[in-house]
């Protein structure tokens, strides 16, 4: 994604990462554009069978906008040993409610979906916000995030930050249910009181301060 892209807005507590990642997979399977190479088996692991540039899809149900996905480059490798989709130049996915309010969205510099394992991986400046009317948004920032559709959980194997209310919780080995309602760190680095609203508007993953290690678990 370009450097001036809008930062994401992750949605209400009941449908967070699952909704956004599901949107990407659903929207992709509507055919991709005209720039599709002829399938080949010369090197199925590195030869895409479908390619779309400046890909933007909007999916609606009964006339109501539900999902919108944008990516500069989308590739699908159907002939690989484990078929996958790859978003090498970044991805942004938004979900909307019936009143066209943004419920959730996520951005990342790179994403990949393993179709066999049903496993999503997002890497590089992964930022997600969870918005619910009348409540403070919850924000997740990390450099790598996974969503296991089979196990119905999201997790990160690197440092992550959760902005919840007026606090920033920092730790490693983040885990949550796929709706981002219950979450924890296996190793908490610290909890910081901040101006969370200002941070959501201007922060990047690397700019959130890290407190001293408290060796606690949320």
């Amino acid at each position: 994604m370009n450097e001036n892209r809008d930062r994401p807005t992750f949605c209400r507590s009941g449908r967070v990462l699952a909704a956004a990642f599901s949107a990407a997979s659903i929207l992709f399977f509507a055919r991709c554009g005209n720039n599709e190479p002829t399938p080949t088996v010369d090197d199925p692991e590195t030869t895409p069978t479908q390619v779309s540039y400046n890909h933007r899809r909007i999916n609606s149900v009964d006339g109501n906008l539900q999902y919108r996905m944008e990516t500069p480059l989308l590739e699908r490798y159907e002939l690989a040993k484990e078929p996958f989709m790859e978003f090498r130049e970044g991805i942004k996915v938004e979900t909307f409610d019936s009143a066209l309010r943004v419920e959730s969205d996520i951005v990342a510099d790179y994403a990949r979906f393993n179709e066999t394992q049903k496993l999503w991986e997002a890497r590089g400046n992964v930022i997600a916000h969870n918005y619910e009317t009348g409540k403070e948004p919850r924000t997740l920032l990390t450099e790598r995030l996974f969503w296991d559709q089979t196990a119905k959980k999201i997790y990160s194997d690197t440092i992550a930050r959760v902005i919840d209310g007026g606090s920033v919780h920092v730790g490693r080995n983040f885990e949550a249910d796929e709706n981002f309602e219950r979450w924890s760190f296996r190793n908490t680095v610290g909890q910081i009181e901040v101006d969370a609203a200002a941070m959501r508007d201007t922060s990047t993953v690397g700019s959130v301060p890290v407190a001293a290690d408290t060796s606690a678990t949320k």
Side-chain angles (χ1 to χ4, degrees):
M1 310 291 287
N2 63 54
E3 295 180 355
N4 295 320
R5 68 184 173 205
D6 293 336
R7 287 299 180 187
T9 332
F10 229 2
C11 139
R12 69 208 272 145
S13 291
R15 292 177 284 177
V16 191
L17 293 165
F21 278 140
S22 291
S25 53
I26 291 169
L27 293 171
F28 176 79
F29 286 106
R31 274 191 79 83
C32 294
N34 299 320
N35 298 306
E36 299 178 7
T38 302
T40 177
V41 294
D42 289 344
D43 191 351
E45 298 296 327
T46 61
T47 304
T49 53
Q50 295 184 44
V51 177
S52 181
Y53 299 97
N54 297 317
H55 186 81
R56 182 174 183 178
R57 298 292 304 186
I58 298 175
N59 185 55
S60 62
V61 177
D62 296 329
N64 295 318
L65 184 64
Q66 301 294 320
Y67 305 114
R68 178 168 62 198
M69 180 185 71
E70 299 177 7
T71 180
L73 176 63
L74 187 156
E75 299 165 303
R76 189 180 184 195
Y77 296 78
E78 297 171 276
L79 304 180
K81 184 177 180 180
E82 292 192 350
F84 64 94
M85 294 187 293
E86 192 170 39
F87 305 81
R88 292 190 289 116
E89 296 185 9
I91 188 172
K92 177 178 180 178
V93 182
E94 296 173 299
T95 67
F96 299 82
D97 64 16
S98 59
L100 302 185
R101 293 183 295 255
V102 175
E103 285 190 329
S104 71
D105 69 32
I106 181 172
V107 295
D109 293 338
Y110 171 90
R112 178 181 173 122
F113 175 62
N114 184 306
E115 297 180 28
T116 302
Q117 299 179 20
K118 304 299 181 185
L119 179 65
W120 274 96
E121 176 186 3
R123 295 202 312 255
N125 294 308
V126 182
I127 308 178
H129 301 136
N130 178 341
Y131 285 100
E132 187 169 0
T133 303
K135 294 185 178 181
E136 285 290 322
R138 178 179 295 162
T139 304
L140 172 66
L141 307 97
T142 186
E143 280 297 319
R144 184 164 54 242
L145 187 68
F146 297 89
W147 175 40
D148 186 331
Q149 290 183 300
T150 302
K152 299 184 182 300
K153 70 175 183 178
I154 58 175
Y155 60 93
S156 176
D157 59 358
T158 186
I159 196 164
R161 298 154 175 85
V162 175
I163 305 174
D164 197 0
S167 299
V168 177
H169 305 267
V170 185
R172 295 184 182 277
N173 298 315
F174 167 85
E175 290 186 0
D177 63 284
E178 65 180 3
N179 297 322
F180 199 17
E181 293 178 329
R182 297 175 301 278
W183 58 274
S184 66
F185 292 111
R186 290 186 182 175
N187 302 103
T188 299
V189 174
Q191 178 176 331
I192 312 158
E193 298 297 324
V194 298
D195 183 348
M199 181 173 289
R200 289 188 185 95
D201 292 336
T202 61
S203 65
T204 62
V205 173
S207 67
V208 181
V210 177
D213 191 348
T214 62
S215 300
T217 302
K218 184 182 182 301

